[in-house]
Amino acid sequence: MVFLGEGLAIIPSEGKVYAPADGIISAVVDSKHAVGITTDTGVEILIHVGLDTVQLGGEGFTLHCKAGDKVKKGSLLLEFDMGKIKEAGFPVTTPVLVSNMVNFVSLKTTDKKQVKTGETLLTIV
C-alpha cells in the first residue's frame, strides 16, 4: 500500500478542476488526470481525477496548466469528460490529498455535503 497523504474525496458535479489556493503547479502527469500544486503557504496538494483513470492515457482530459505555472485560487487547471470516464467503467470520485502533512499540525475537512467552487474543502494548520 502507498500512502499519498491525508485529505478527502469529492464526487464532482462538473468536469472541471480549479486551483484550491494560490501557488505553483508542481506536477502534471502525462495522462493529464492529476495535478499537483504547492500553495504559497507550502501545502502540497494532489488532485487526482477519478480512480484508475491513468488507464485512459489522457483521453477525455484537457490541461490548462503546466508544471511551473503560477496560479491563483479559482484558476481552471483541467477539464475532463465525466461521461467518457464513466463509460470506460471508472468512477469520477476525485481524491484531494495533502502530501506533506508531516509539516503541519492538523487537517480539518469541511462538514458540508456539497461545496461550490471557491468554498473551503480543507483547512490546514
Side-chain angles (χ1 to χ4, degrees):
M1 182 164 91
V2 176
F3 181 71
L4 296 176
E6 294 182 47
L8 52 77
I10 62 170
I11 299 172
S13 60
E14 68 173 339
K16 295 181 180 181
V17 172
Y18 298 95
D22 295 350
I24 302 278
I25 299 300
S26 52
V28 177
V29 296
D30 291 339
S31 53
K32 306 175 189 174
H33 72 284
V35 174
I37 181 173
T38 301
T39 71
D40 288 350
T41 58
V43 178
E44 296 173 1
I45 300 171
L46 172 67
I47 303 169
H48 187 290
V49 176
L51 303 177
D52 293 326
T53 49
V54 66
Q55 296 179 47
L56 294 173
E59 192 172 323
F61 294 89
T62 303
L63 288 173
H64 294 281
C65 64
K66 63 184 180 316
D69 283 355
K70 176 87 174 134
V71 296
K72 292 287 190 187
K73 180 179 180 177
S75 299
L76 180 62
L77 302 180
L78 69 93
E79 292 181 273
F80 56 97
D81 185 331
M82 291 197 311
K84 186 175 288 262
I85 292 169
K86 290 176 182 178
E87 285 171 16
F90 302 113
V92 294
T93 303
T94 299
V96 179
L97 304 170
V98 176
S99 59
N100 66 336
M101 270 308 297
V102 67
N103 298 334
F104 300 94
V105 176
S106 68
L107 178 145
K108 182 177 188 276
T109 60
T110 183
D111 293 334
K112 292 182 176 183
K113 296 296 180 200
Q114 287 188 323
V115 294
K116 295 179 180 151
T117 301
E119 292 183 332
T120 301
L121 280 176
L122 305 170
T123 303
I124 297 134
V125 183

